Amino acid sequence: MEQPLLSEKRSESEESERLSSYQYVGRTGSVIPTASLAGTEVSIEEIRSATPFPGPYPPSFHTPLISAPEPHPHEQAILQQGPYTTDYGAYSNEFQRQLLDEVEIRELLIDHVGHRCCWGSRPARTWKIHAVEDCNVYVGTLETFLEEREVIRETEPYLGDKIDGKDNGPELGIWELDLRSEFPVLFVPYKETRVKIPHSETIEKCSGCAGRGGIVCPTCNADQEPGFYKENQMAQCPACYGRGLIAHRDGSDTICTKCNGKGKIPCATCGSRGLIKCETCHGNGSMVTRNIAIVRWKTLSTRKVSATSGAASVPDEVFHRAKGVQLCNTQAYQCTPAYFADSFFLNKFSSDIIADRASVPPSARVICERHTISVVPVTRVTMSHHRQSFSFYIVGYSRDLYLKDYYPARFCWGLCPCLEWLKL
């Protein structure tokens, strides 16, 4: 039986204020704690006013926030409502417990073993079912769907085209961009898009060549001061070594055809111009710079599992994938803890999930949140034979079987993962 946290009595106003911080989750036979919560629906204006930033999205965008949220595809609706006693000494919504007989349990285990290399089915067929234990698990999630925007500078060579600068109008702020055409489905895991900010283009002098369109030749002007160069710098002819003549074995000389007898040739890198083409601006000397908005939509998830000691060895991810029954599913701009009239445990469980809300980056804004609590039926089965025993779990309404490590009829000496990796 639950005991009150405080011995002293709360006044009616304090109790009403405490209960009003919860979202009411209806139950047959439950008393609505405050009259203000009865039949109250959140309006579009209330949701929009809750958002601290005015946005370009139309009122129709907020419609999903006030409609009844659809159950998760891995969840079942509550078919029957009424109290049942749990291991936590609290009440919760009743769900259809999975009643498994010996034949069904053995069939599930035989099917699971049949998909494992080198596992024998004899224990599944012949060992005695020693114990069948219900150890149901509560699974809670808080999904925060947000939109993040940041600005980056993009630069490319200016080719003489018309630019979209401030002469065409003021530059829009990053949160003034209307991205309704890009907006994804709510609670999509991740989506990113790039948008050019209107009227943000400017023409700037190329920093690589100081607007000249070329950079100093490193071959013929290597000894010059930075930023200075000389034209018509000639290099020694490699054929005649600067003589202008080619010597022959018979003692005669002929004019060098490579330098025409001058002994000097133009710089092979720049043609003695002193400059080579700037690769940054492609020789144009100017760059066009614009602001690009990087917009990301993503969902941050906070997950929490409350399992009894009997199911403590099962990884949380198994319960999150399993099909269960939703006890609450609320969606709002900012979710608050759910309220269960008959269960202190579920109220605290919901409050802990909300308290662990994922942190939102400064460059992001919350669009909406979704808070769900589900109960997943879990059955722990122990089979024994003489002095040997092993346990496995049947999880969710899809009856997924989880067997952690030990199974008595394994003939691969632990080599199955290696054989699977080697594709043998």
Side-chain angles (χ1 to χ4, degrees), residues 185-251:
V185 178
L186 291 179
F187 301 104
V188 68
Y190 186 83
K191 181 184 177 182
E192 180 176 323
T193 187
R194 295 166 58 95
V195 180
K196 184 183 77 171
I197 298 180
H199 318 316
S200 64
E201 292 185 335
T202 58
I203 298 177
E204 300 176 353
K205 185 185 296 184
C206 177
S207 59
C209 63
R212 288 191 296 255
I215 59 176
V216 177
C217 177
T219 303
C220 62
N221 280 272
D223 56 348
Q224 299 294 324
E225 292 292 330
F228 294 89
Y229 69 98
K230 290 182 179 180
E231 297 180 347
N232 301 320
Q233 293 282 85
M234 305 295 286
Q236 182 181 335
C237 177
C240 63
Y241 300 102
R243 292 179 62 245
L245 299 173
I246 301 295
H248 299 280
R249 292 184 178 180
D250 58 1

Side-chain angles (χ1 to χ4, degrees), residues 57-335:
Y57 300 115
S60 60
F61 164 74
H62 298 277
T63 302
L65 301 184
I66 62 172
S67 61
E70 294 293 330
H72 193 273
H74 284 180
E75 307 291 344
Q76 294 187 8
I78 300 175
L79 302 178
Q80 183 178 354
Q81 292 189 347
Y84 73 87
T85 305
T86 68
D87 296 333
Y88 300 96
Y91 285 99
S92 180
N93 295 79
E94 185 176 359
F95 64 95
Q96 291 183 339
R97 299 192 180 198
Q98 50 181 357
L99 302 177
L100 300 171
D101 57 27
E102 180 177 348
V103 175
E104 290 176 313
I105 291 174
R106 293 189 186 276
E107 287 178 349
L108 290 172
L109 181 56
I110 291 171
D111 180 71
H112 180 78
V113 170
H115 290 82
R116 299 295 184 273
C117 177
C118 304
W119 285 30
S121 62
R122 182 179 179 85
R125 290 184 290 104
T126 62
W127 283 31
K128 178 183 176 181
I129 296 179
H130 178 71
V132 178
E133 176 188 358
D134 284 337
C135 41
N136 302 314
V137 172
Y138 290 96
V139 178
T141 61
L142 176 66
E143 297 172 290
T144 303
F145 183 65
L146 54 84
E147 178 177 335
E148 185 177 7
R149 299 187 182 188
E150 65 173 333
V151 179
I152 62 171
R153 298 281 288 178
E154 186 179 81
T155 303
E156 64 180 26
Y158 177 60
L159 304 178
D161 300 329
K162 186 178 180 180
I163 66 169
D164 181 18
K166 293 185 177 179
D167 294 340
N168 298 332
E171 179 180 346
L172 296 179
I174 188 169
W175 287 104
E176 296 175 339
L177 300 176
D178 188 351
L179 300 178
R180 283 176 289 184
S181 60
E182 300 288 339
F183 200 88
V185 178
L186 291 179
F187 301 104
V188 68
Y190 186 83
K191 181 184 177 182
E192 180 176 323
T193 187
R194 295 166 58 95
V195 180
K196 184 183 77 171
I197 298 180
H199 318 316
S200 64
E201 292 185 335
T202 58
I203 298 177
E204 300 176 353
K205 185 185 296 184
C206 177
S207 59
C209 63
R212 288 191 296 255
I215 59 176
V216 177
C217 177
T219 303
C220 62
N221 280 272
D223 56 348
Q224 299 294 324
E225 292 292 330
F228 294 89
Y229 69 98
K230 290 182 179 180
E231 297 180 347
N232 301 320
Q233 293 282 85
M234 305 295 286
Q236 182 181 335
C237 177
C240 63
Y241 300 102
R243 292 179 62 245
L245 299 173
I246 301 295
H248 299 280
R249 292 184 178 180
D250 58 1
S252 61
D253 293 328
T254 57
I255 296 176
C256 177
T257 57
K258 188 173 184 65
C259 62
N260 294 325
K262 298 178 182 179
K264 299 284 187 181
I265 59 173
C267 176
T269 304
C270 66
S272 294
R273 290 178 55 248
L275 297 173
I276 59 176
K277 182 179 179 181
C278 177
E279 296 298 332
T280 303
C281 63
H282 295 177
N284 296 312
S286 299
M287 306 289 292
V288 57
T289 302
R290 63 180 65 91
N291 290 335
I292 301 295
I294 306 296
V295 185
R296 304 180 187 91
W297 292 276
K298 55 186 175 181
T299 301
L300 305 179
S301 296
T302 300
R303 295 180 172 185
K304 195 174 183 66
V305 170
S306 179
T308 60
S309 58
S313 61
V314 182
D316 290 352
E317 191 61 33
V318 174
F319 300 131
H320 284 291
R321 292 196 308 263
K323 295 180 181 179
V325 172
Q326 283 190 351
L327 303 181
C328 81
N329 186 336
T330 57
Q331 185 171 304
Y333 165 70
Q334 187 173 26
C335 289

Side-chain angles (χ1 to χ4, degrees), residues 394-407:
I394 301 172
V395 183
Y397 283 105
S398 59
R399 297 185 176 181
D400 300 323
L401 194 142
Y402 176 76
L403 181 59
K404 186 179 180 183
D405 293 317
Y406 174 71
Y407 181 72

Side-chain angles (χ1 to χ4, degrees), residues 44-60:
I44 296 176
E45 289 73 16
E46 288 174 328
I47 293 178
R48 299 187 68 183
S49 63
T51 309
F53 315 100
Y57 300 115
S60 60

Side-chain angles (χ1 to χ4, degrees), residues 356-370:
D356 291 339
R357 175 183 281 113
S359 59
V360 178
S363 59
R365 295 179 179 179
V366 175
I367 302 297
C368 61
E369 290 184 334
R370 180 169 61 195

